[in-house]
């Protein structure tokens, strides 16, 4: 039997029971992918992160209940938060080696900042299938890895009741809706039925697509974003040179446990 330390953190929030839950596992050595997948299924969060210490930082991988993914924002933020607050309080910067390259997270007091590449996307035609799937006809639609649909109003985003079966038929690994906000620069909601995640509470990675769009529309370098899921979460997104983006947020620790495997 192997013992494995696991933490649960709520990311992109300063209030417990909101933001996005991330399970953070810290094995002493790399685990078999099949075992990591089983742990992710058992946790049943949108993502479980596995971080292994190396000479230069940490190797980091992410698993959803539906499989391994190449990049994840909130679980990266949660992992950095756990390491910097629970394991090494003097640490102010971590380089994570991932399938998407080196990801850096820096600490500034209680705020944690990730540096990600901006997501490239192209404008596509709004279709009847999109309108049927989400119940509102988008004003615009854009496609990168994920599908982003711009809606007429914040109320449309907040009141949306999409058809999960029809969402799976739309392009993109993840389907996002967004609109200009009132209190915030933009509001969004994000769905991932293909990954067995009906709605993701707060999604850092998809804001690498959402924030640059609104930065251009609003002519602003810093976008204050709110993801209007049931749990809700806040993201500070700053457009950087060389097609990069800084995404910052708070985290709260929920639990620490030992897994017996």
């Amino acid at each position: 039997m192997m013992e494995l330390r696991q933490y649960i953190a709520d990311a992109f929030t300063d209030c417990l029971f909101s933001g996005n839950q991330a399970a953070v596992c810290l094995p002493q050595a790399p685990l078999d992918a099949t075992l990591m997948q089983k742990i992710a299924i058992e946790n049943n969060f949108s993502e479980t992160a596995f971080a292994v210490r190396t000479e230069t930082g940490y190797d980091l991988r992410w698993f959803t209940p539906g499989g391994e993914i190449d990049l994840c924002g909130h679980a990266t933020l949660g992992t950095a938060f756990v390491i910097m607050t629970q394991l090494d309080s003097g640490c102010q910067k971590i380089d994570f080696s991932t399938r998407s390259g080196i990801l850096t997270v820096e600490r500034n007091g209680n705020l944690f900042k990730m540096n990600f590449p901006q997501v490239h996307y192209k404008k596509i035609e709004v279709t009847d299938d999109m309108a049927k799937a989400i119940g509102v006809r988008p004003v615009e639609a854009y496609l990168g890895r994920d599908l982003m649909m711009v809606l007429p109003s914040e109320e449309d985003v907040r009141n949306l009741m999409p058809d999960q079966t029809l969402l799976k038929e739309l392009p993109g690994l993840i389907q996002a809706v967004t609109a200009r906000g009132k209190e915030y620069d933009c509001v969004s909601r994000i769905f991932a039925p293909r990954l067995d995640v009906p709605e993701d509470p707060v999604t850092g990675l998809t804001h690498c697509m959402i924030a640059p769009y609104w930065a251009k529309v609003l002519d602003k370098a810093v976008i204050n974003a709110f993801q209007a899921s049931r749990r809700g979460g806040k993201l500070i997104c700053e457009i950087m040179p060389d097609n990069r983006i800084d995404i910052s947020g708070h985290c709260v620790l929920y639990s620490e446990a030992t897994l017996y495997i």
Side-chain angles (χ1 to χ4, degrees):
M1 179 181 293
M2 174 177 63
E3 296 185 5
L4 175 63
R5 299 305 296 164
Q6 177 175 278
Y7 299 81
I8 296 174
D10 291 341
F12 293 117
T13 182
D14 57 4
C15 181
L16 200 60
F17 306 122
S18 60
N20 201 351
Q21 300 158 298
V24 179
C25 293
L26 299 169
Q28 296 298 310
L31 301 179
D32 179 77
T34 300
L35 176 58
M36 289 189 284
Q37 183 63 70
K38 289 180 178 179
I39 294 172
I41 293 171
E42 184 77 10
N43 286 329
N44 201 32
F45 295 151
S46 56
E47 272 86 15
T48 296
F50 298 86
V52 179
R53 188 77 171 93
T54 67
E55 292 183 359
T56 57
Y58 285 82
D59 288 336
L60 180 62
R61 295 171 74 175
W62 312 274
F63 285 77
T64 77
E68 185 172 12
I69 56 174
D70 292 334
L71 192 57
C72 176
H74 83 276
T76 301
L77 198 76
T79 301
F81 162 76
V82 165
I83 293 170
M84 291 178 180
T85 62
Q86 304 304 307
L87 303 184
D88 185 359
S89 60
C91 179
Q92 298 295 309
K93 180 179 178 181
I94 300 175
D95 290 326
F96 291 109
S97 178
T98 78
R99 288 170 58 167
S100 295
I102 300 297
L103 301 179
T104 300
V105 182
E106 296 184 62
R107 181 179 185 181
N108 181 14
N110 292 325
L111 200 64
F112 297 83
K113 179 177 69 177
M114 304 178 291
N115 181 259
F116 279 169
Q118 293 185 40
V119 171
H120 297 287
Y121 57 85
K122 62 180 180 180
K123 190 172 185 177
I124 62 172
E125 181 183 357
V126 172
T127 66
D128 291 340
D129 288 342
M130 295 177 191
K132 290 177 182 177
I134 65 174
V136 177
R137 190 165 190 86
V139 176
E140 297 178 310
Y142 296 85
L143 184 63
R145 186 202 71 165
D146 302 331
L147 174 65
M148 180 178 72
M149 294 170 280
V150 182
L151 302 191
S153 71
E154 177 175 332
E155 288 74 20
D156 289 325
V157 172
R158 290 182 178 273
N159 297 330
L160 205 70
M161 298 181 64
D163 185 309
Q164 295 287 327
T165 300
L166 294 180
L167 278 179
K168 284 186 177 182
E169 303 303 317
L170 297 182
L173 179 65
I174 290 170
Q175 292 76 42
V177 296
T178 187
R180 187 168 183 168
K182 297 175 182 177
E183 182 181 355
Y184 300 90
D185 292 314
C186 66
V187 295
S188 65
R189 288 174 65 193
I190 294 167
F191 310 95
R194 288 198 182 97
L195 298 174
D196 294 334
V197 180
E199 181 169 2
D200 197 32
V202 195
T203 316
L205 177 57
T206 307
H207 278 81
C208 295
M209 180 180 187
I210 293 172
Y213 169 83
W214 287 111
K216 185 175 181 180
V217 170
L218 302 176
D219 193 24
K220 298 178 69 172
V222 179
I223 296 296
N224 288 294
F226 182 74
Q227 192 155 327
S229 65
R230 181 176 58 84
R231 292 173 63 91
K234 304 173 186 179
L235 310 92
I236 303 169
C237 308
E238 183 174 3
I239 307 305
M240 305 299 291
D242 301 323
N243 292 316
R244 305 288 296 184
I245 181 171
D246 284 345
I247 299 181
S248 302
H250 295 90
C251 291
V252 180
L253 183 67
Y254 174 66
S255 70
E256 176 183 354
T258 301
L259 307 185
Y260 298 97
I261 300 170

